[in-house]
Amino acid sequence: GLYGGRSLGAGHLGVGLEVGFPFVSARAVYGVLPRLDLGLGVDSVYGLMIEPRASARFTALDSPRASLAVVVDGGHAFFLRPPETEEKGARYLSGRRDWNVAPGLVFSFQGEGPRSIRPYMDLRCLVSFDTHPTQSSPLGGLPPELKVDAAVLVRLGAEFPVGEKTSYAVSLGADFRSRATDAEVMPTLSMGVVSTLF
């Protein structure tokens, strides 16, 4: 699968497409080593923001039933509107800024059967680098050239195998943010399909 802690394995390629709130996402992941996957993808707030992202997943602990992986992804976000014209738009919904990096851990469980449901828990720290910060207060002075903020991302989900190479994926979660101009907690929901091409 694409979302759990177990690597695809060397030479295997997986792709996935998700729709939900606040993102629609697509990604492709390739197993370069038995325990290391590298991937490329794109997240979008339905055209208001588009962010190409690169990712890596290293399976640190693996057993027949459970896996734990160290993961990281990041990219550069392109926004439809400049920050000074946006109050509660793509930046507010996504928590992303110009550059974003999200390291973390993923734990997943595999049932006995090959088509058992594969639940997972994804914990990340999103570090956002805002290279165009704005000042909301008229008397606040000039904003800094770079503003760095962090958020904790929590996702609980599962992949539901429906065939030899295809699974449905569902994820629920929340982003806990430190930035004063964003919502303190932003719920997330996504549903999609995952397929192993080879």
Side-chain angles (χ1 to χ4, degrees):
L2 294 188
Y3 303 106
R6 181 171 293 168
S7 169
L8 292 175
H12 294 277
L13 175 68
V15 296
L17 176 65
E18 287 184 298
V19 295
F21 174 83
F23 296 109
V24 57
S25 303
R27 62 190 300 186
V29 175
Y30 183 73
V32 296
L33 295 171
R35 289 184 173 231
L36 178 65
D37 297 338
L38 299 179
L40 294 173
V42 62
D43 289 348
S44 177
V45 182
Y46 295 88
L48 299 176
M49 179 214 73
I50 296 175
E51 183 180 16
R53 295 177 73 79
S55 65
R57 172 175 59 180
F58 176 73
T59 301
L61 299 172
D62 197 16
S63 71
R65 297 291 177 84
S67 301
L68 177 68
V70 178
V71 293
V72 64
D73 65 1
H76 178 61
F78 300 91
F79 294 90
L80 185 64
R81 298 179 60 184
E84 59 271 13
T85 66
E86 185 181 88
E87 184 176 351
K88 291 188 177 179
R91 291 170 179 83
Y92 177 84
L93 292 173
S94 69
R96 309 274 176 90
R97 293 302 187 263
D98 300 294
W99 293 93
N100 307 279
V101 180
L105 298 172
V106 176
F107 174 79
S108 62
F109 179 79
Q110 174 68 55
E112 291 184 13
R115 293 194 183 180
S116 297
I117 297 172
R118 300 189 295 266
Y120 67 87
M121 180 174 62
D122 190 326
L123 301 174
R124 306 281 185 109
C125 176
L126 173 66
V127 182
S128 300
F129 302 87
D130 191 348
T131 59
H132 300 90
T134 59
Q135 181 59 260
S136 57
S137 170
L139 301 178
L142 290 174
E145 293 185 3
L146 176 67
K147 192 171 188 305
V148 181
D149 290 288
V152 174
L153 315 182
V154 180
R155 303 287 184 272
L156 299 174
E159 294 183 55
F160 300 85
V162 293
E164 184 180 349
K165 295 186 176 182
T166 303
S167 300
Y168 294 135
V170 177
S171 172
L172 293 168
D175 299 351
F176 301 89
R177 301 174 181 169
S178 63
R179 190 180 293 112
T181 56
D182 286 1
E184 290 184 11
V185 180
M186 179 64 70
T188 66
L189 167 67
S190 65
M191 295 173 286
V193 62
V194 175
S195 180
T196 301
L197 299 184
F198 56 82

